[in-house]
Each structure stands twice: as structure tokens, then as C-alpha cells.
Amino acid sequence: MHMYKIIEKKKNKLELTKEEIAFFVNGYVNDEIPDYQMASLLMAIVLNGMTDKEIVALTLSMANSGDKLSWKENSVDKHSTGGVGDKTTLIIAPIVSCLGCQVIKMSGRALGYTGGTIDKLESIRGFKVQLDEDTLKQQLEKLNIAIISQTKNIAPADKKIYALRDVTATVESIPLIASSIMSKKIASGAKNLVLDVKVGSGAFMKNITDARLLAKTMVMIGKEAGIKTVAVLSNMDQPLGQNIGNQLEVQEAVSLLNGNGPSDLRELSITLASYMVSITKNINYEEALKLVVEVLQNKKALQKFNDLVSSQGGTLDLDNKAKYQYKVLSNKEGYITKMDTATIGKISGLLGAGRLVKEDKINYYAGIILNKKINDYVYKGDLLATLYTDKEIDLRNDYLNCLTFSNKKVNNNIILEVIRWL
Ligand code: URA
């Protein structure tokens, strides 16, 4: 087999075989295929697409390129395509684990304008995100839940290909994005999966048409790989909930588990958790929803979260200790109708909550609390948000520039669509 021939075939819009796909994935991981040939093939894929058969073959080849884990039939995972203020994992994982679903969540760190669950958990004093195999096993037996950082060699082919896509303008391709995400999920070994595909100004997918296609493609891959998969399309035209930033997001997650918290975060968390319970336990959505609401109301999910934190060595302290608090007051009147969510995420990063490059150090107390969101009516002088930071940087005007006002409300549902296992 020759890489040249494979590139040519894709250039001519012909379907690649399973063997050809395995050849270039393995060849690239083993340094037998150079970057320039791989980049050329990736660009041909971006331009000419892939059939479902090709997408599945690519996903499985990448999933098989490293360690493959396998959990029990009642194991369930959730994956979000990334947004701003998304702390749903901290809420959902304890809920579903209370209901007999096993959660072994391997999460990532923040990079760019989106946050990472592992950083959020590390904002809890003492919380250990790495557990050795025996400790993990014991914790799962006792609590049915663990949230850890990825230590295994999961889908190394995806890692290498993604790094190349990043510098060759070949990230934006539904077949490549879907296979990249799903290869990691398949190798991580959960038998049930709920995908939260974000759509809007703070998301990777800016419009519903692309998001729908991505969701359908990932659900199709899940089916072919024997993983029960549901995708929920959710609105990321504004940050999720009110708090952005690591410790501030833990605060909000705990508040929600305590029966408080903002309605968009509550609705999305309950919906995602209910689909996770429904597919894992083979019960209908309404039945699952009832169970989810019950463990929130009777605080069993909160107890599970507290047990998880202490089992992984953490001590919760919900006081924010940022040195400075800058209050952003409105200089306009009207309904907020748009929020530039990606820029708000970047502002939070600049305050100290995120990283521009992998080596940057996070300030766990930095972030933003939003007092007004889309469809709130605002008067001049109203408090829009508070910026928390240890730095002497004033980003209040940058925040104000992220908001658009109007005299009419706009459509603003959090759940946009659900794509079920086909
Ligand atoms: N996230 C991934 O894991 N892969 C992509 O290709 C894009 C986003």
C-alpha cells in the first residue's frame, strides 16, 4: 500500500477501504508516514468529506492505537464539546452514580476559552485527580464514581493527528471532529454515552446545521461501536449558569446540588442526567427524569458529591479569596439580546482562570459572576457582572463590549434538540 495512492484516491473523491485507513493511521503513529503526506490527506478529507463507512473505520483505527479500557454494562460517560461556564459534569456525575450508573470520568484541563473539569476539581484543596489502580477500584466499589485526569495512553493517533490539524487549517471537518471525539470515548471504555453538543457564540459549532450533523455522525459511530449514544444539542449563545472560573464553578455546582442555582444550568444538567440514566438502565426518559429530580430533592446527589470529594482527598471551601473584585455596571438600558460568549470566556482566562498555553498557571479564584444574562431587562447603573482576579487589570470595558442590548426579547431555549441512538 502507498500513501501517495491513498491521497490520490481521496483527492478523486473515491471511498477508502478499512485497510487503507488503518494503514495511514498506524503508519502516521509509527512515524512511517511524514507530516506533509498526512497533511495533504487531511486537506483532501476536509474538502471531499468521508462516507459513514470511512468515518467508522477511521474512528476505530484511532481508538485501537493505544490503551483500550472496558467498563461494566452499567458504565456511563458524558462528553461536552466545550463551552463557557460548563460545570455540568460536577452535577451530573454524582446524580447518575446515586442511581446505579457507574461513572469513571476521565476529564481534561482548560485550554483556550473553555474550562476543564480537572482544573475545577483541583480548585478544591487537596483533591487528587490521579488515583492508582487499586485506589480507583476500591473507590468504585464503595462509591460507584471517580473523576480523574487521563493517565492512560488513550487514542495516541488522535493526539498526533489533532496536533497536525491544528497547524494545517484542517480542524473544521465534521468527519474528522466526530472521529476524533469518538475515538477517545470508545477507548475510554464506557458502555453508554451522552454527548452534549454545544451550539452558539461560545461553542465550536456556531450554527445548528453543523451541530446537528456532528451529533448525528457521533451517534452513528457510537451505534457501530456498540455504545448506546444520545446527543443533546444545547445553547451556548451565553455562558452556562452564572459563574465562570474554577472555584466559582464548584461553588455554583454545589449550590445547584443543594436545590438552588440558575434555571439554564439546572435544566441542562437534569436533561443530560436523565438521558444517561434512561439509556444505562433501559428505562424511558420520563421515568429516569423522576429519579433524577428525586435524588436532587432528597440531597442524595449532594451527599455523593461530598463523598467523592473526601474520598479523593479534598476539603470543600466555598469562600472566594480573589484579591480584587471589579463590578461591571451597565451604561445602557434594554434587554440583553446577545453575549459574545467566546470573548467572555477569554476575559475569564485573562483574569487568571484559564490558560493560553499548556504551561500557564491557573488562579483558581479568578473568574466572573454574571448578574444579568440574555432576556434580562437592564437599567443604566445596574450590576451586570463581577470580575474576580488577583491581577491589577481592568477588563470592565471589554466585558461591556460583549453585550448587545435591544428593546425586545429573543428566543433563548437551553435544550435545542435531542438525537437518539438510531
Ligand atoms: N475536540 C476533539 O476532541 N477533537 C476535535 O477534532 C475537535 C474538538
PDB file of all heavy atoms in Angstrom, residues 19 30 33 54 75 79 112 152-153 156 197 208 213 240-241 262 301 334 336 352 374 378 398 407 413:
ATOM      1  N   GLU A  19      -8.776  -1.086   5.264  1.00  0.00           N
ATOM      2  CA  GLU A  19      -7.339  -1.416   5.307  1.00  0.00           C
ATOM      3  C   GLU A  19      -6.487  -0.183   4.993  1.00  0.00           C
ATOM      4  O   GLU A  19      -5.458   0.048   5.622  1.00  0.00           O
ATOM      5  CB  GLU A  19      -7.010  -2.545   4.315  1.00  0.00           C
ATOM      6  CG  GLU A  19      -7.570  -3.911   4.688  1.00  0.00           C
ATOM      7  CD  GLU A  19      -9.086  -4.023   4.487  1.00  0.00           C
ATOM      8  OE1 GLU A  19      -9.653  -3.265   3.659  1.00  0.00           O
ATOM      9  OE2 GLU A  19      -9.714  -4.849   5.185  1.00  0.00           O
ATOM     10  N   ASN A  30       3.372   5.503  13.875  1.00  0.00           N
ATOM     11  CA  ASN A  30       4.702   4.882  13.956  1.00  0.00           C
ATOM     12  C   ASN A  30       5.784   5.675  13.222  1.00  0.00           C
ATOM     13  O   ASN A  30       6.866   5.130  12.952  1.00  0.00           O
ATOM     14  CB  ASN A  30       4.649   3.450  13.391  1.00  0.00           C
ATOM     15  CG  ASN A  30       3.727   2.580  14.220  1.00  0.00           C
ATOM     16  OD1 ASN A  30       3.602   2.793  15.434  1.00  0.00           O
ATOM     17  ND2 ASN A  30       3.041   1.631  13.591  1.00  0.00           N
ATOM     18  N   ILE A  33       4.896   7.561   8.117  1.00  0.00           N
ATOM     19  CA  ILE A  33       4.304   8.481   7.128  1.00  0.00           C
ATOM     20  C   ILE A  33       4.641   9.902   7.571  1.00  0.00           C
ATOM     21  O   ILE A  33       4.395  10.264   8.730  1.00  0.00           O
ATOM     22  CB  ILE A  33       2.777   8.250   7.038  1.00  0.00           C
ATOM     23  CG1 ILE A  33       2.517   6.899   6.361  1.00  0.00           C
ATOM     24  CG2 ILE A  33       2.086   9.381   6.293  1.00  0.00           C
ATOM     25  CD1 ILE A  33       1.097   6.443   6.402  1.00  0.00           C
ATOM     26  N   GLU A  54     -16.196   5.046   6.031  1.00  0.00           N
ATOM     27  CA  GLU A  54     -14.833   5.567   6.223  1.00  0.00           C
ATOM     28  C   GLU A  54     -14.683   6.185   7.614  1.00  0.00           C
ATOM     29  O   GLU A  54     -13.656   5.989   8.284  1.00  0.00           O
ATOM     30  CB  GLU A  54     -14.518   6.650   5.182  1.00  0.00           C
ATOM     31  CG  GLU A  54     -14.307   6.138   3.768  1.00  0.00           C
ATOM     32  CD  GLU A  54     -14.072   7.297   2.799  1.00  0.00           C
ATOM     33  OE1 GLU A  54     -14.897   8.236   2.792  1.00  0.00           O
ATOM     34  OE2 GLU A  54     -13.087   7.283   2.068  1.00  0.00           O
ATOM     35  N   SER A  75     -21.841   1.180  33.005  1.00  0.00           N
ATOM     36  CA  SER A  75     -20.958   2.350  32.982  1.00  0.00           C
ATOM     37  C   SER A  75     -21.500   3.395  32.010  1.00  0.00           C
ATOM     38  O   SER A  75     -22.065   3.054  30.968  1.00  0.00           O
ATOM     39  CB  SER A  75     -19.551   1.935  32.562  1.00  0.00           C
ATOM     40  OG  SER A  75     -19.604   1.295  31.305  1.00  0.00           O
ATOM     41  N   HIS A  79     -19.926  13.567  27.435  1.00  0.00           N
ATOM     42  CA  HIS A  79     -18.880  14.392  26.819  1.00  0.00           C
ATOM     43  C   HIS A  79     -19.496  15.688  26.320  1.00  0.00           C
ATOM     44  O   HIS A  79     -20.534  15.681  25.665  1.00  0.00           O
ATOM     45  CB  HIS A  79     -18.247  13.652  25.634  1.00  0.00           C
ATOM     46  CG  HIS A  79     -17.188  14.458  24.960  1.00  0.00           C
ATOM     47  ND1 HIS A  79     -15.907  14.553  25.451  1.00  0.00           N
ATOM     48  CD2 HIS A  79     -17.225  15.257  23.858  1.00  0.00           C
ATOM     49  CE1 HIS A  79     -15.193  15.356  24.680  1.00  0.00           C
ATOM     50  NE2 HIS A  79     -15.974  15.797  23.701  1.00  0.00           N
ATOM     51  N   GLY A 112      -7.383  27.463  25.969  1.00  0.00           N
ATOM     52  CA  GLY A 112      -8.202  28.394  25.185  1.00  0.00           C
ATOM     53  C   GLY A 112      -9.299  28.967  26.061  1.00  0.00           C
ATOM     54  O   GLY A 112      -9.097  29.138  27.261  1.00  0.00           O
ATOM     55  N   LYS A 152      -3.945   7.127  31.134  1.00  0.00           N
ATOM     56  CA  LYS A 152      -3.653   6.059  30.166  1.00  0.00           C
ATOM     57  C   LYS A 152      -3.342   6.666  28.805  1.00  0.00           C
ATOM     58  O   LYS A 152      -3.675   7.818  28.520  1.00  0.00           O
ATOM     59  CB  LYS A 152      -4.873   5.148  30.042  1.00  0.00           C
ATOM     60  CG  LYS A 152      -5.215   4.432  31.321  1.00  0.00           C
ATOM     61  CD  LYS A 152      -4.408   3.181  31.439  1.00  0.00           C
ATOM     62  CE  LYS A 152      -4.743   2.452  32.722  1.00  0.00           C
ATOM     63  NZ  LYS A 152      -3.830   1.361  32.974  1.00  0.00           N
ATOM     64  N   ASN A 153      -2.760   5.842  27.965  1.00  0.00           N
ATOM     65  CA  ASN A 153      -2.393   6.256  26.621  1.00  0.00           C
ATOM     66  C   ASN A 153      -3.618   6.067  25.710  1.00  0.00           C
ATOM     67  O   ASN A 153      -3.730   5.079  25.013  1.00  0.00           O
ATOM     68  CB  ASN A 153      -1.211   5.366  26.194  1.00  0.00           C
ATOM     69  CG  ASN A 153      -0.626   5.777  24.879  1.00  0.00           C
ATOM     70  OD1 ASN A 153      -0.696   6.942  24.511  1.00  0.00           O
ATOM     71  ND2 ASN A 153      -0.051   4.815  24.167  1.00  0.00           N
ATOM     72  N   PRO A 156      -3.616   7.593  21.003  1.00  0.00           N
ATOM     73  CA  PRO A 156      -2.466   8.437  20.641  1.00  0.00           C
ATOM     74  C   PRO A 156      -2.494   8.898  19.172  1.00  0.00           C
ATOM     75  O   PRO A 156      -1.963   9.957  18.846  1.00  0.00           O
ATOM     76  CB  PRO A 156      -1.248   7.536  20.915  1.00  0.00           C
ATOM     77  CG  PRO A 156      -1.781   6.149  20.991  1.00  0.00           C
ATOM     78  CD  PRO A 156      -3.194   6.252  21.467  1.00  0.00           C
ATOM     79  N   VAL A 197     -23.667  18.487  22.715  1.00  0.00           N
ATOM     80  CA  VAL A 197     -23.089  19.221  21.588  1.00  0.00           C
ATOM     81  C   VAL A 197     -23.526  20.681  21.687  1.00  0.00           C
ATOM     82  O   VAL A 197     -24.712  20.998  21.560  1.00  0.00           O
ATOM     83  CB  VAL A 197     -23.529  18.598  20.243  1.00  0.00           C
ATOM     84  CG1 VAL A 197     -22.941  19.377  19.068  1.00  0.00           C
ATOM     85  CG2 VAL A 197     -23.106  17.134  20.169  1.00  0.00           C
ATOM     86  N   ILE A 208     -26.708  25.620  14.098  1.00  0.00           N
ATOM     87  CA  ILE A 208     -27.409  24.371  14.436  1.00  0.00           C
ATOM     88  C   ILE A 208     -27.236  23.312  13.341  1.00  0.00           C
ATOM     89  O   ILE A 208     -27.197  22.118  13.632  1.00  0.00           O
ATOM     90  CB  ILE A 208     -28.905  24.658  14.736  1.00  0.00           C
ATOM     91  CG1 ILE A 208     -29.646  23.413  15.242  1.00  0.00           C
ATOM     92  CG2 ILE A 208     -29.635  25.224  13.558  1.00  0.00           C
ATOM     93  CD1 ILE A 208     -29.953  23.434  16.662  1.00  0.00           C
ATOM     94  N   LEU A 213     -25.374  17.854  12.322  1.00  0.00           N
ATOM     95  CA  LEU A 213     -24.633  16.871  11.525  1.00  0.00           C
ATOM     96  C   LEU A 213     -23.535  16.210  12.367  1.00  0.00           C
ATOM     97  O   LEU A 213     -23.342  14.988  12.314  1.00  0.00           O
ATOM     98  CB  LEU A 213     -24.037  17.554  10.281  1.00  0.00           C
ATOM     99  CG  LEU A 213     -23.331  16.635   9.306  1.00  0.00           C
ATOM    100  CD1 LEU A 213     -24.252  15.522   8.826  1.00  0.00           C
ATOM    101  CD2 LEU A 213     -22.801  17.432   8.108  1.00  0.00           C
ATOM    102  N   LEU A 240     -23.032  29.246  30.491  1.00  0.00           N
ATOM    103  CA  LEU A 240     -23.984  28.384  31.194  1.00  0.00           C
ATOM    104  C   LEU A 240     -23.977  28.735  32.684  1.00  0.00           C
ATOM    105  O   LEU A 240     -22.918  28.745  33.320  1.00  0.00           O
ATOM    106  CB  LEU A 240     -23.584  26.924  30.978  1.00  0.00           C
ATOM    107  CG  LEU A 240     -24.536  25.871  31.523  1.00  0.00           C
ATOM    108  CD1 LEU A 240     -25.924  25.971  30.896  1.00  0.00           C
ATOM    109  CD2 LEU A 240     -23.974  24.468  31.290  1.00  0.00           C
ATOM    110  N   GLY A 241     -25.160  29.017  33.219  1.00  0.00           N
ATOM    111  CA  GLY A 241     -25.250  29.397  34.634  1.00  0.00           C
ATOM    112  C   GLY A 241     -24.733  30.812  34.845  1.00  0.00           C
ATOM    113  O   GLY A 241     -24.656  31.614  33.904  1.00  0.00           O
ATOM    114  N   PRO A 262     -29.025  28.492  38.980  1.00  0.00           N
ATOM    115  CA  PRO A 262     -29.764  29.075  37.865  1.00  0.00           C
ATOM    116  C   PRO A 262     -30.508  28.042  37.021  1.00  0.00           C
ATOM    117  O   PRO A 262     -30.098  26.884  36.936  1.00  0.00           O
ATOM    118  CB  PRO A 262     -28.673  29.761  37.043  1.00  0.00           C
ATOM    119  CG  PRO A 262     -27.412  29.128  37.444  1.00  0.00           C
ATOM    120  CD  PRO A 262     -27.578  28.569  38.817  1.00  0.00           C
ATOM    121  N   ALA A 301     -27.692  13.296  45.875  1.00  0.00           N
ATOM    122  CA  ALA A 301     -26.644  13.640  44.898  1.00  0.00           C
ATOM    123  C   ALA A 301     -25.605  14.558  45.546  1.00  0.00           C
ATOM    124  O   ALA A 301     -24.407  14.429  45.286  1.00  0.00           O
ATOM    125  CB  ALA A 301     -27.275  14.303  43.673  1.00  0.00           C
ATOM    126  N   GLY A 334     -32.083  48.322  28.444  1.00  0.00           N
ATOM    127  CA  GLY A 334     -32.785  47.460  27.488  1.00  0.00           C
ATOM    128  C   GLY A 334     -32.599  45.994  27.848  1.00  0.00           C
ATOM    129  O   GLY A 334     -32.032  45.667  28.893  1.00  0.00           O
ATOM    130  N   ILE A 336     -30.870  42.456  27.349  1.00  0.00           N
ATOM    131  CA  ILE A 336     -29.651  41.882  26.763  1.00  0.00           C
ATOM    132  C   ILE A 336     -30.119  40.846  25.747  1.00  0.00           C
ATOM    133  O   ILE A 336     -30.933  39.974  26.064  1.00  0.00           O
ATOM    134  CB  ILE A 336     -28.776  41.201  27.835  1.00  0.00           C
ATOM    135  CG1 ILE A 336     -28.284  42.234  28.853  1.00  0.00           C
ATOM    136  CG2 ILE A 336     -27.586  40.492  27.190  1.00  0.00           C
ATOM    137  CD1 ILE A 336     -27.434  41.648  29.972  1.00  0.00           C
ATOM    138  N   GLY A 352      -7.234  35.167  34.954  1.00  0.00           N
ATOM    139  CA  GLY A 352      -6.394  34.163  35.615  1.00  0.00           C
ATOM    140  C   GLY A 352      -7.022  32.781  35.662  1.00  0.00           C
ATOM    141  O   GLY A 352      -6.418  31.831  36.158  1.00  0.00           O
ATOM    142  N   ILE A 374     -29.016  36.877  28.924  1.00  0.00           N
ATOM    143  CA  ILE A 374     -29.932  37.152  27.808  1.00  0.00           C
ATOM    144  C   ILE A 374     -31.397  37.190  28.290  1.00  0.00           C
ATOM    145  O   ILE A 374     -31.819  36.361  29.095  1.00  0.00           O
ATOM    146  CB  ILE A 374     -29.735  36.103  26.691  1.00  0.00           C
ATOM    147  CG1 ILE A 374     -28.387  36.370  26.008  1.00  0.00           C
ATOM    148  CG2 ILE A 374     -30.867  36.147  25.672  1.00  0.00           C
ATOM    149  CD1 ILE A 374     -28.036  35.473  24.848  1.00  0.00           C
ATOM    150  N   VAL A 378     -32.286  45.508  31.734  1.00  0.00           N
ATOM    151  CA  VAL A 378     -31.217  46.169  32.485  1.00  0.00           C
ATOM    152  C   VAL A 378     -31.392  47.686  32.434  1.00  0.00           C
ATOM    153  O   VAL A 378     -31.705  48.240  31.375  1.00  0.00           O
ATOM    154  CB  VAL A 378     -29.850  45.800  31.832  1.00  0.00           C
ATOM    155  CG1 VAL A 378     -28.719  46.583  32.473  1.00  0.00           C
ATOM    156  CG2 VAL A 378     -29.584  44.306  31.933  1.00  0.00           C
ATOM    157  N   ASP A 398     -14.036  45.731  28.372  1.00  0.00           N
ATOM    158  CA  ASP A 398     -14.027  44.570  27.465  1.00  0.00           C
ATOM    159  C   ASP A 398     -15.299  43.738  27.690  1.00  0.00           C
ATOM    160  O   ASP A 398     -15.890  43.230  26.753  1.00  0.00           O
ATOM    161  CB  ASP A 398     -12.789  43.696  27.724  1.00  0.00           C
ATOM    162  CG  ASP A 398     -11.517  44.491  27.597  1.00  0.00           C
ATOM    163  OD1 ASP A 398     -11.236  45.343  28.481  1.00  0.00           O
ATOM    164  OD2 ASP A 398     -10.802  44.311  26.611  1.00  0.00           O
ATOM    165  N   ASN A 407     -34.709  46.397  22.441  1.00  0.00           N
ATOM    166  CA  ASN A 407     -35.943  46.633  23.212  1.00  0.00           C
ATOM    167  C   ASN A 407     -36.884  45.434  23.185  1.00  0.00           C
ATOM    168  O   ASN A 407     -38.000  45.505  23.661  1.00  0.00           O
ATOM    169  CB  ASN A 407     -36.644  47.916  22.729  1.00  0.00           C
ATOM    170  CG  ASN A 407     -36.927  47.837  21.247  1.00  0.00           C
ATOM    171  OD1 ASN A 407     -36.662  46.805  20.622  1.00  0.00           O
ATOM    172  ND2 ASN A 407     -37.452  48.912  20.680  1.00  0.00           N
ATOM    173  N   ASN A 413     -33.880  29.144  24.257  1.00  0.00           N
ATOM    174  CA  ASN A 413     -34.026  27.846  24.931  1.00  0.00           C
ATOM    175  C   ASN A 413     -32.663  27.232  25.186  1.00  0.00           C
ATOM    176  O   ASN A 413     -31.772  27.352  24.351  1.00  0.00           O
ATOM    177  CB  ASN A 413     -34.832  26.869  24.065  1.00  0.00           C
ATOM    178  CG  ASN A 413     -36.246  27.355  23.905  1.00  0.00           C
ATOM    179  OD1 ASN A 413     -36.746  28.078  24.768  1.00  0.00           O
ATOM    180  ND2 ASN A 413     -36.868  27.002  22.801  1.00  0.00           N
TER     181      ASN A 413
END
